[in-house]
Amino acid sequence: MTQIRRMEPLPRRPGELGVHSVDHFALAVPDIAAAETFYGAFGLVTRQEGDRLGIYTHHHPQRWGLVVEGPRKKLHHVSFGAFEEDLPKFRDRLETLGIERLDPPPGFESNGLWLRDHDGNLVEIRVAEKVSPDAKSAFENPSCGAGLRGAPSRLKAPKVRPRRLSHVLLFTRDVMKAIAFYRDVLGLRLSDRAGDIIAFMHGIHGSDHHMLAFAKSDAPGLQHSSWDVGSINDIGCGAVQMAAKGFTAGWGLGRHVVGSNYFHYVRDPWGSYAEYSADIDYIPVTQDWEGEDHPGEDLFSAWGPEPPPEFVVNYEK
Ligand SMILES: [Fe+2]
């Protein structure tokens, strides 16, 4: 019997131009070995690749992060993934908008376009697999039946291993300019914001509530990278896992209002954070999401402890 193979349509919004994923972020730090220790303890896979460190999740081919050596901690670049047929359109768009195209940084192979954003951050738009999810990520809150023990033993709890990068949050000098730049140039859309203090943006081809977010500061910088896990239990166990390795500083457990995810942030050796995140809202490719301006009360969380004062300090200044 002949089977008729139906081609699945690409998970893309027809007729509109926008990047589909944060392909990876790159961070310069003075001590790559410290990055290997931190991200390894967090449950990620680190691979020495020449003089750089690649950051992966278990059982996933994507390189979500790249750590290079530099005199001080500094965001090196953010790379966005685009569909192959869209790259010439992005090239035309940059030309139309008068945005200068740059050579890739020395030593970086690239099939894409390099530019600087409104803050001077280096940005790449490259042809890449869509690694932002095509559906809301699985989340469970299991409860055992009567007559059974439900909680994991501290000694026997399996190591928490995040499944994928969810988003990065950047400090910016001007949140409204950031929204405009990433909307007009990269095609991201505003998901939600709180005044001009913080803003969250999603991809038009289906993505988490935010793949990129901005918080007001007086200089650019990376505030956190966020990693998806499957349960609140994983978030708690992740926090314990990091504390056991000496990474006790952070913020959590809590639940955000904007994006709805449960969270625990762990402070890295340079004063930025890695977030365990679960059950973040999802914006399907078919939905025109209405961004809202939230009151200041909703800025940090629906519930949880107060964030420590250094949580909002930009150490890249
Ligand atoms: Fe986050």
Side-chain angles (χ1 to χ4, degrees):
M1 195 176 101
T2 307
Q3 276 197 332
I4 299 169
R5 272 187 67 205
R6 287 181 58 188
M7 296 292 286
E8 289 294 324
L10 275 175
R12 69 159 299 154
R13 187 178 288 255
E16 294 187 58
L17 186 59
V19 295
H20 55 56
S21 309
V22 170
D23 187 79
H24 67 270
F25 67 96
L27 187 63
V29 301
D31 182 359
I32 288 187
E36 193 168 7
T37 301
F38 177 81
Y39 289 114
F42 195 78
L44 303 171
V45 178
T46 57
R47 289 187 199 139
Q48 198 72 43
E49 297 171 345
D51 56 358
R52 300 172 193 153
L53 191 72
I55 303 174
Y56 298 77
T57 44
H58 290 265
H59 314 299
H60 201 301
Q62 180 68 13
R63 187 176 66 189
W64 305 103
L66 200 51
V67 182
V68 302
E69 199 170 299
R72 50 196 282 271
K73 179 239 172 184
K74 191 175 186 337
L75 179 69
H76 187 277
H77 68 262
V78 183
S79 177
F80 294 87
F83 295 117
E84 186 170 8
E85 68 269 24
D86 285 346
L87 204 70
K89 297 174 191 163
F90 277 114
R91 196 176 288 124
D92 292 347
R93 179 181 276 181
L94 296 185
E95 198 168 317
T96 304
L97 295 172
I99 295 171
E100 186 185 0
R101 275 178 51 199
L102 307 170
D103 291 331
F108 284 82
E109 292 291 318
S110 177
N111 65 13
L113 310 168
W114 289 80
L115 57 144
R116 289 201 181 271
D117 73 6
H118 65 292
D119 259 336
N121 292 314
L122 201 50
V123 168
E124 181 191 28
I125 304 171
R126 60 156 51 192
V127 176
E129 288 285 313
K130 183 175 185 287
V131 288
S132 63
D134 290 332
K136 186 161 178 173
S137 293
F139 172 77
E140 56 177 17
N141 192 20
S143 173
C144 74
L148 298 168
R149 295 183 177 90
S153 153
R154 280 222 176 203
L155 297 176
K156 292 180 188 161
K159 189 170 180 182
V160 174
R161 294 172 162 179
R163 300 180 291 197
R164 62 179 176 83
L165 179 71
S166 172
H167 57 269
V168 292
L169 189 147
L170 307 182
F171 287 118
T172 178
R173 296 186 187 94
D174 190 324
V175 169
M176 302 313 280
K177 275 190 187 167
I179 295 169
F181 184 91
Y182 282 88
R183 178 194 63 212
D184 297 342
V185 182
L186 282 91
L188 298 181
R189 291 211 178 139
L190 180 68
S191 309
D192 284 296
R193 68 187 169 101
D196 64 352
I197 304 298
I198 195 160
F200 302 84
M201 303 190 81
H202 63 278
I204 61 172
H205 302 299
S207 83
D208 285 345
H209 173 275
H210 45 285
M211 63 165 75
L212 183 67
F214 297 98
K216 189 171 172 58
S217 177
D218 48 6
L222 174 73
Q223 197 270 342
H224 76 263
S225 59
S226 178
W227 303 85
D228 177 72
V229 295
S231 67
I232 297 171
N233 195 65
D234 279 354
I235 295 177
C237 287
V240 168
Q241 172 177 310
M242 290 304 273
K245 299 283 186 184
F247 299 107
T248 53
W251 177 40
L253 172 75
R255 188 178 194 187
H256 287 301
V257 176
V258 182
S260 305
N261 49 320
Y262 300 93
F263 65 81
H264 181 94
Y265 294 83
V266 185
R267 187 178 161 142
D268 70 20
W270 317 282
S272 44
Y273 294 82
E275 176 185 22
Y276 292 109
S277 165
D279 204 29
I280 192 166
D281 291 336
Y282 184 77
I283 302 180
V285 60
T286 49
Q287 184 170 353
D288 290 324
W289 178 275
E290 295 290 333
E292 289 181 3
D293 187 2
H294 293 257
E297 288 76 12
D298 288 347
L299 199 57
F300 287 109
S301 65
W303 52 260
E306 287 297 307
E310 66 271 19
F311 187 72
V312 293
V313 174
N314 183 355
Y315 291 97
E316 291 187 38
K317 286 196 292 185

